[in-house]
């Protein structure tokens, strides 16, 4: 090599080093508190790519509206709905147009019939192709279906079953529980039905004579449901009681079970103690089977839902208990409205949350704010969830899948566009974070084998 070429190489190296320095300098500057005028352009670029990300949906009730297995509970008698979920929301018309080419601009009964007929025909066909096609239209790859049982019209390759376990908390005489308020009057008999169903599945003619027998029934049902395709267990407990679970000694639960399994009405305190013990059997078994534990943690429907009882902070003593460090907890619905508390709950390595339910309660502009905060803190613990659910015969789980998926894709693109514009990270990193939220975190959680 000549001296001249050494100089040239040296110059080239210097230029490269300079370019790198400039690059590093701009990427490592302090993030700005205000996003710039480039946000809409960054948003458009990101959204185009975010639309291509296949979604892993952490929570849905994929179902036809007349299928009572869609949930272990039913809507209470006099529900008041948030603004966005009322029949008057024009977004549902947009959903029906986008999914089915719905030719009308409202859901007047004579118009809605067009949509209802189409869905009834799909249900009558009995084929799994219909729901697969809904997922395909929305680029949803896998979808957890939280149901009492999987349905023959759902393709098990795409829809993975999350089964309910609250019924195990209600084996005793529920007279006082049912009488607490009109909502409980609807919920508790349905829990009793699910328990009967599990007992039949396990060939039990009645409750086992002692707590040991009851515990093995509980553990065996979880193992059998996993063999049938179950990928996680789900508690709707926040609808029935506080999410705070004490840690009673086994002898106490044994005493209560012995006293009441054949009859008699336990006091509230006795029932609570018994439930707290059985709850711990359930999460222990879920940990052993490597089944993540889902909780409804957030606001809920009905006139008697207690925000305080549903606050995710109630679960702190459980998710931070070293005995359950191998159990994964998924606190769904983002703990909404306690979304900031929620993201700090996920600071524990075995705790996750999702944006289901809240993602269609609020409009995308507000979901953007929540996701921006979450992404800035623990982006590896958050997941998309649709909570797709039928509202009536016309507006079904199909339209809520659409609303949730469109809301989340646009909101996460907007949150990331602001963060890129503010100098938090570049667009490449933004897309990696979008993948984590929409797909990768869930794929990792449910893909992990014991
Ligand atoms: Zn749900």
């Amino acid at each position: 090599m000549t001296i001249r070429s050494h100089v040239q190489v040296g110059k080239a190296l210097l230029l490269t080093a300079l370019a790198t320095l400039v690059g590093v300098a701009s990427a490592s500057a302090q993030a700005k508190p205000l996003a710039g005028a480039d946000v809409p352009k960054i948003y458009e670029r990101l959204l185009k790519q975010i639309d291509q990300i296949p979604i892993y949906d952490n929570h849905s009730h994929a179902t036809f509206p007349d299928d009572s297995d869609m949930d272990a509970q039913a809507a209470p008698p006099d529900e008041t709905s948030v603004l966005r979920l009322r029949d008057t929301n024009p977004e549902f018309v947009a959903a029906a147009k986008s999914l089915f080419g719905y030719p009308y601009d409202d859901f007047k009964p004579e118009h809605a019939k067009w949509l209802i007929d189409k869905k009834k025909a799909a249900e009558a066909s009995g084929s799994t192709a219909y729901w697969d096609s809904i997922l395909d239209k929305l680029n949803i790859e896998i979808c957890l279906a939280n149901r009492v049982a999987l349905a023959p019209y759902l393709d098990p390759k795409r829809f993975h079953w999350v089964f309910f376990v609250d019924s195990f908390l209600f084996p005793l005489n529920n007279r006082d529980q049912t009488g607490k308020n009109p909502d409980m009057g609807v919920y508790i008999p349905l829990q009793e039905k699910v328990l009967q169903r599990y007992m039949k599945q396990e060939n039990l003619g009645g409750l086992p004579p002692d707590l040991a027998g009851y515990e093995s029934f509980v553990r065996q049902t979880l193992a059998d449901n996993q063999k049938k395709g179950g990928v996680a267990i789900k508690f709707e407990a926040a609808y029935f009681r506080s999410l705070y679970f004490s840690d009673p000694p086994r002898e106490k639960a044994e005493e209560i079970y012995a006293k009441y399994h054949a009859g008699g009405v336990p006091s509230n305190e006795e029932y609570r103690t018994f439930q707290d013990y059985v709850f711990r059997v359930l999460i222990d078994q879920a940990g052993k089977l490597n089944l993540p534990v889902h909780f409804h943690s957030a606001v809920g429907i009905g006139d008697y839902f207690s925000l305080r009882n549903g606050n995710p902070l109630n679960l702190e003593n459980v998710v931070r208990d070293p005995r359950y460090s191998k159990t994964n907890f998924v606190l769904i619905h983002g703990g909404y409205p306690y979304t900031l508390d929620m993201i700090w709950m996920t600071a524990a390595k075995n705790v996750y949350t999702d944006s289901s339910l809240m993602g269609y309660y609020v409009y995308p502009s507000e979901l953007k704010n929540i996701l921006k905060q979450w992404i800035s803190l623990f982006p590896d613990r958050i997941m998309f969830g649709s909570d797709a659910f039928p509202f009536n015969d016309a507006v079904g789980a199909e339209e809520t899948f659409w609303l949730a998926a469109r809301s989340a894709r646009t909101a996460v693109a907007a949150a990331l566009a602001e963060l890129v514009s503010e100098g938090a990270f570049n667009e490449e990193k933004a897309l990696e974070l979008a993948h984590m939220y929409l797909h990768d975190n869930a794929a990792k959680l449910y893909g992990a084998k014991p």
Side-chain angles (χ1 to χ4, degrees), residues 59 61 333 387:
H59 178 73
H61 305 267
H333 312 323
D387 212 354

Side-chain angles (χ1 to χ4, degrees), residues 212-341:
Y214 189 70
E215 281 183 50
S216 63
F217 157 59
V218 169
R219 289 185 186 274
Q220 194 55 46
T221 309
L222 263 56
D224 289 342
N225 282 358
Q226 184 178 37
K227 282 187 205 120
K228 293 203 292 189
V231 298
I233 69 171
K234 162 83 182 292
F235 284 99
E236 291 181 316
Y239 278 99
F240 319 125
R241 49 157 292 159
S242 167
L243 287 181
Y244 177 78
F245 292 90
S246 71
D247 194 5
R250 188 175 186 280
E251 305 80 73
K252 268 200 165 171
E254 202 167 19
E255 231 172 74
I256 297 163
Y257 187 84
K259 197 166 158 195
Y260 295 108
H261 80 277
V265 183
S267 72
N268 261 327
E269 202 191 321
E270 286 171 318
Y271 218 146
R272 173 66 53 93
T273 304
F274 173 77
Q275 289 184 338
D276 290 357
Y277 178 77
V278 174
F279 168 79
R280 285 164 187 277
V281 173
L282 281 160
I283 57 173
D284 175 72
Q285 178 70 346
K288 288 188 169 116
L289 296 170
N290 196 32
L291 287 169
V293 181
H294 286 212
F295 287 93
H296 176 103
S297 62
V299 290
I301 56 173
D303 290 327
Y304 301 92
F305 188 89
S306 162
L307 276 175
R308 190 183 295 271
N309 283 352
N311 188 319
L313 289 182
N314 286 311
L315 286 163
E316 214 168 18
N317 65 321
V318 169
V319 303
R320 294 279 191 175
D321 186 327
R323 286 175 292 172
Y324 312 121
S325 61
K326 293 214 160 49
T327 305
N328 286 312
F329 297 99
V330 184
L331 312 188
I332 68 171
H333 312 323
Y336 185 81
Y338 311 108
T339 55
L340 185 54
D341 293 344

Side-chain angles (χ1 to χ4, degrees), residues 417-439:
E418 286 184 9
L419 284 162
V420 168
S421 173
E422 292 159 19
F425 40 71
N426 62 22
E427 287 181 37
E428 194 189 343
K429 178 73 184 172
L431 287 171
E432 184 191 321
L433 293 164
H435 271 273
M436 287 163 75
Y437 163 60
L438 291 171
H439 180 275

